[in-house]
Every structure is written in C-alpha cells, then in structure tokens.
Amino acid sequence: MNIFELLQKNRLFHNYQPLHHLADDAIYGYEALLRSTIQSNPETLFKIAMQSNILYKLDTMSIEKAFTHYSNQLNDQKLFLNMFMSTLLHPNFIRFMHSILEVPSSPAPSIVLEMNEAKEEEAMWESPLLPIRIKMLREMGIQFAIDDFGQGATSLKKAVEIEPEYLKLDRYFATELATSDKKQKLVSLFTEYFKEDTTVVLEGIETEDDLNLAKEIGIDIAQGYFIGKPQALVVGS
C-alpha cells in the first residue's frame, strides 16, 4: 500500500454505528468507525500505519475528519471517537484537540474518546503522563471510554484509576448473553459496581434475546448489529 495514498483524506471515510438508550430505544450517540477506499480491513489499515510510523497522523486525521463531518450534520448527540494510547500521549495531541474544538460549530458535538487496547501499546497504560493528559482533556469538556473492556491490556484496576465516563464491555459478554448464567452475572457485577460514576455500555448485541436480557440486567446503553449497523451518516438519519 502506498503510504501517501493512505494519508489522503479523500481515501478515508467513516461509517457511524448508533448507541441506543435501552429504556426508550432513543439514539444516545454514534461511534465513528474509520474506513478506507484502498484497504477494506480497518485493523490492517492501522497496522500498516503503526509499522510505517504514521499512526499519530492517521489517528488525528480520522478524529478531525469524523468531528468535522459530524458537526456539519448531527451535532446534538455524543460522538464516540477511537484513539490509540500513543496518540493520547503524543506531545502535540492537546494542541491538536484545541485546534479542532476552536473551529466554529453550533454547537460542537460532545466528544467521548475511546481508549484503544492495542497489545503493541500495553506499556503505555502505565505512563505517568496518562492521568495528566486525561485531566487536561476533561477540562476541555472531553469524556473518556475504555473500549473492549475485559479483553485487552487494561484491568479492573485501570478502570478504577482512570474513572472513565463510559466502560464499553467487549462483545464477548453480549454473545449468547441470554443463555450464559456466568456472563449475566459478570455483566450485572460490572453494572452494579460502576453505576455511581461510569456508564456501562454493552457492545456486540446481535440477537433480540440478548438485547432483552441486557435490559433485564440493567444495561442503559448498548450497540450492535441487531440495534443498528454502521453506515454513512446523512442529515435526518
């Protein structure tokens, strides 16, 4: 893949997957998912960027493009943006976020940065800069989510230390949730433990039975193909 082509904005676009509030089935927000016209697999796209030392450039380009598009079309709901830990810790990231938030928008969408658990960046969760950066971004009105919780490098300890506004449970917990007593107990435990300070989001809902069980357990926010598939965002969607 040509690296120059990878970094061209017209080669990149986003699909947006809705997050639903289960109590009334209202759309709570959207997660922007980066896609490319030259690479169908997003994981491969980011792997190439990481190997070519342009991950920060790709990550920030994705954030800016999604933010601008969302602001122009649907800015009254939360926008969830994926982000690598190396991007959060990059010396220019705070300046970058200030620059895109300063662009006139009426009003700017509420941003939730989803902290990615890439194995290659596992050690970065221990960086002493992490709480400092999170504090600075929160002062700018930005919220945080730990993505794919229960799968990757982070742990219950990290969730307690970071105190994210959102904890997105890995899709593993949603798969066959209706028939797994153990998964039901775990999801209930997470929901009960974090209910005071953190909203637990269940990802990967793909059946009606699993959706109904999630409601019974007390999940407030969920996403998945059964609820809504990623697609282009258009006015009135």
Side-chain angles (χ1 to χ4, degrees), residues 18-187:
L19 287 81
H20 279 245
H21 190 265
L22 298 189
D24 55 10
D25 198 35
I27 294 179
Y28 183 79
Y30 288 87
E31 178 181 355
L33 301 168
L34 184 65
R35 300 292 183 260
S36 168
T37 60
I38 56 176
Q39 175 51 252
S40 60
N41 188 330
E43 292 184 8
T44 300
L45 188 71
F46 282 106
K47 185 176 181 180
I48 293 171
M50 190 176 292
Q51 293 172 343
S52 304
N53 200 31
I54 58 169
L55 182 59
Y56 176 75
K57 178 67 174 178
L58 180 62
D59 222 6
T60 51
M61 183 178 289
S62 172
I63 291 171
E64 181 178 14
K65 190 175 182 69
F67 178 81
T68 301
H69 181 66
Y70 198 83
S71 298
N72 290 336
Q73 300 203 47
L74 188 67
N75 56 21
D76 59 346
Q77 292 163 324
K78 291 184 182 294
L79 173 61
F80 289 73
L81 296 166
N82 292 282
M83 172 198 61
F84 282 85
M85 293 301 294
S86 57
T87 297
L88 174 60
L89 297 173
H90 193 282
N92 294 332
F93 187 62
I94 298 296
R95 187 182 306 115
F96 163 77
M97 290 304 300
H98 271 299
S99 70
I100 67 169
L101 290 173
E102 288 172 356
V103 175
S105 176
S106 54
S110 178
I111 293 177
V112 180
L113 293 177
E114 296 194 18
M115 304 167 76
N116 189 290
E117 294 187 288
K119 292 181 180 179
E120 297 88 345
E121 299 188 347
E122 183 174 351
M124 294 182 185
W125 288 89
E126 303 297 332
S127 170
L129 283 177
L130 180 58
I132 298 172
R133 291 295 172 83
I134 290 176
K135 183 176 184 294
M136 294 174 70
L137 289 162
R138 279 181 170 145
E139 290 173 350
M140 295 162 58
I142 294 169
Q143 296 181 317
F144 287 87
I146 292 181
D147 195 19
D148 298 330
F149 182 81
Q151 179 196 62
T154 60
S155 63
L156 187 59
K157 175 176 176 287
K158 286 292 182 293
V160 172
E161 291 175 349
I162 294 171
E163 297 182 328
E165 284 79 9
Y166 299 89
L167 192 68
K168 300 188 76 175
L169 299 184
D170 185 71
R171 63 180 57 253
Y172 165 81
F173 296 102
T175 302
E176 299 180 350
L177 176 65
T179 58
S180 174
D181 291 339
K182 290 184 178 180
K183 289 184 181 182
Q184 292 170 25
K185 290 177 182 178
L186 281 171
V187 174

